Amino acid sequence: GAVVSQHPSWVICKSGTSVKIECRSLDFQATTMFWYRQFPKQSLMLMATSNEGSKATYEQGVEKDKFLINHASLTLSTLTVTSAHPEDSSFYICSAHRGGRATDTQYFGPGTRLTVL
Amino acid sequence: SQQGEEDPQALSIQEGENATMNCSYKTSINNLQWYRQNSGRGLVHLILIRSNEREKHSGRLRVTLDTSKKSSSLLITASRAADTASYFCATTINNDMRFGAGTRLTVKP
């Protein structure tokens, strides 16, 4: 089946530093990828839609200058948390439609746990 | 923002019993999917049901969709301790997927 990977699986950083998270579709091309954030014991909240070759679309309330998204190829999207603060600590999950259509199954990466000290 | 609401928020049953989780949503959808998440892990896709379908089965899983009531249910039959996890419904509208709050299922051996 389709596989989406994320790297790193966990990261601990100091407040004020920037952290980059990679999301890769391993056996299919994804023109669109999605980034979610999940706080403990809560549901996934869509942060942004990452579009290959164009700017990401951010959800209301998500700071685009803080959460930089780059989708430079059909198999890779990156999320950079800039000047991270403890409140940015969360579980970040990416996903992609294998068929590129909204009606196709969406496959999720294993997530990246970010802890900001 | 979240689209779906799930109930119950938490469900505890004995191994062998059936577990039913419900999901309600607010607007018309393209499809609805159910996912499972073990604590601190990624999501595992269980079933996708399209807006023109009413019921789907996969192994011990049965999903129903009632678009007139804007609701879906996930039934897990003959539950096992390994089914302990959080279960989320997710609705797709155009290219956006929104998740419900989830149901935390505990299956006691």
Side-chain angles (χ1 to χ4, degrees):
Chain A
V3 177
V4 175
S5 71
Q6 281 183 241
H7 177 81
S9 56
W10 60 270
V11 57
I12 301 173
C13 69
K14 293 182 179 179
S15 186
T17 61
S18 294
V19 175
K20 180 186 284 188
I21 303 170
E22 293 184 348
C23 176
R24 293 181 185 273
S25 55
L26 298 185
D27 59 352
F28 65 100
Q29 293 183 331
T31 55
T32 304
M33 290 184 174
F34 304 88
W35 287 97
Y36 295 83
R37 180 166 56 183
Q38 184 181 33
F39 291 107
K41 296 185 180 180
Q42 294 189 25
S43 187
L44 281 74
M45 300 297 291
L46 179 65
M47 297 176 66
T49 302
S50 172
N51 305 299
E52 189 268 334
S54 64
K55 292 182 180 180
T57 305
Y58 290 82
E59 293 299 300
Q60 193 172 10
V62 177
E63 300 176 60
K64 62 180 181 180
D65 294 330
K66 181 166 185 64
F67 298 100
L68 300 179
I69 291 173
N70 184 279
H71 195 152
S73 77
L74 288 170
T75 59
L76 173 64
S77 174
T78 60
L79 169 68
T80 301
V81 183
T82 62
S83 186
H85 290 282
E87 57 265 30
D88 298 324
S89 298
S90 188
F91 194 52
Y92 292 87
I93 305 176
C94 71
S95 70
H97 292 297
R98 180 172 187 173
R101 300 175 300 177
T103 51
D104 293 318
T105 299
Q106 201 167 27
Y107 293 92
F108 285 79
T112 296
R113 184 161 303 283
L114 170 64
T115 302
V116 184
L117 303 176
Chain B
S1 62
Q2 290 180 228
Q3 150 86 308
E5 295 182 1
E6 293 178 67
D7 74 272
Q9 290 186 342
L11 179 62
S12 181
I13 58 175
Q14 293 294 135
E15 204 166 29
E17 294 179 340
N18 295 341
T20 300
M21 290 160 269
N22 302 296
C23 170
S24 61
Y25 55 92
K26 298 175 183 176
T27 63
S28 296
I29 60 174
N30 297 115
N31 62 52
L32 185 145
Q33 302 181 61
W34 284 90
Y35 288 85
R36 164 198 167 119
Q37 184 182 36
N38 286 55
S39 182
R41 307 290 292 274
L43 274 73
V44 175
H45 181 259
L46 298 177
I47 283 186
L48 179 153
I49 186 165
R50 302 189 188 281
S51 58
N52 60 353
E53 297 176 313
R54 292 296 168 259
E55 186 173 313
K56 287 191 82 170
H57 297 255
S58 176
R60 294 184 296 114
L61 307 179
R62 173 177 168 254
V63 167
T64 63
L65 178 65
D66 187 334
T67 53
S68 66
K69 295 181 179 179
K70 292 186 171 59
S71 67
S72 174
S73 68
L74 169 66
L75 168 67
I76 303 175
T77 60
S79 63
R80 306 166 182 168
D83 294 329
T84 294
S86 290
Y87 292 82
F88 294 94
C89 69
T91 55
T92 301
I93 305 167
N94 297 322
N95 210 30
D96 279 353
M97 175 179 282
R98 307 288 168 148
F99 283 81
T103 294
R104 174 69 190 171
L105 173 66
T106 302
V107 181
K108 300 175 184 177

